[in-house]
Amino acid sequence: VQLQASGGGLVQAGGSLRLSCKASPRFFSILVMGWYRQAPGNQRALVARIGSGGSTKYADSVKGRFTISRDSSGNTVYLEMNSLKPEDTAVYYCHHLGRSSSWQSVANDYWGPGTLVTVSS
C-alpha cells in the first residue's frame, strides 16, 4: 500500500490549504489516519488524527484552525488548514495505522512521502 499526499504549496499568512492523502490500493482495515509535520530542526510531531470511529485529536497549536476528515470510503484523509501562520511551515506527512490485507495479523504504520507547506509572512 502506498500513501499519496497532495495539496501542499506556498500560501500567505492567513490563507488556507487543503491536504489530501489517498491510500492505493485500499486498506483492508484502518485504525487511525493522521497528519504529522516536521519543520527544519524539529522532530516530526502530530498535527491531527482521526480514528476509525470518527474521534479526532489535534495538536494544541492547530486547534480551531485545522480540521481533519475522511471520505465515506475511509480511503482518503483530508486536512483543511485555515488561518495559516508562518510557524505552520513544515513538511506534512500523512500516516495510517492499519492492515493492508487480511493476511496481516497486526496493524502496521504507513507513511506518505511528505508534502511541503510554506506560509509566508
Side-chain angles (χ1 to χ4, degrees):
V1 174
Q2 290 188 333
L3 301 182
Q4 302 164 323
S6 61
L10 173 64
V11 64
Q12 289 187 331
S16 300
L17 283 174
R18 188 190 196 209
L19 305 182
S20 301
C21 179
K22 181 178 181 180
S24 179
R26 184 176 176 176
F27 273 79
F28 174 73
S29 67
I30 296 177
L31 295 177
V32 180
M33 307 164 76
W35 291 92
Y36 288 70
R37 67 186 181 187
Q38 186 169 18
N42 292 345
Q43 291 186 335
R44 191 174 300 187
L46 175 71
V47 176
R49 67 178 186 225
I50 183 167
S52 57
S55 61
T56 57
K57 179 180 174 65
Y58 294 91
D60 288 342
S61 60
V62 307
K63 284 181 180 177
R65 299 188 298 122
F66 290 12
T67 302
I68 189 170
S69 63
R70 60 190 181 191
D71 68 356
S72 58
S73 72
N75 201 45
T76 302
V77 63
Y78 304 97
L79 186 67
E80 187 75 35
M81 305 185 293
N82 298 315
S83 302
L84 283 161
K85 304 175 181 180
E87 51 263 43
D88 294 318
T89 295
V91 177
Y92 285 70
Y93 298 90
C94 63
H95 169 261
H96 286 29
L97 175 65
R99 297 164 61 195
S100 62
S101 64
S102 59
W103 57 263
Q104 280 191 331
S105 58
V106 297
N108 290 298
D109 293 291
Y110 295 83
W111 293 92
T115 184
L116 178 63
V117 172
T118 304
V119 184
S120 62
S121 57

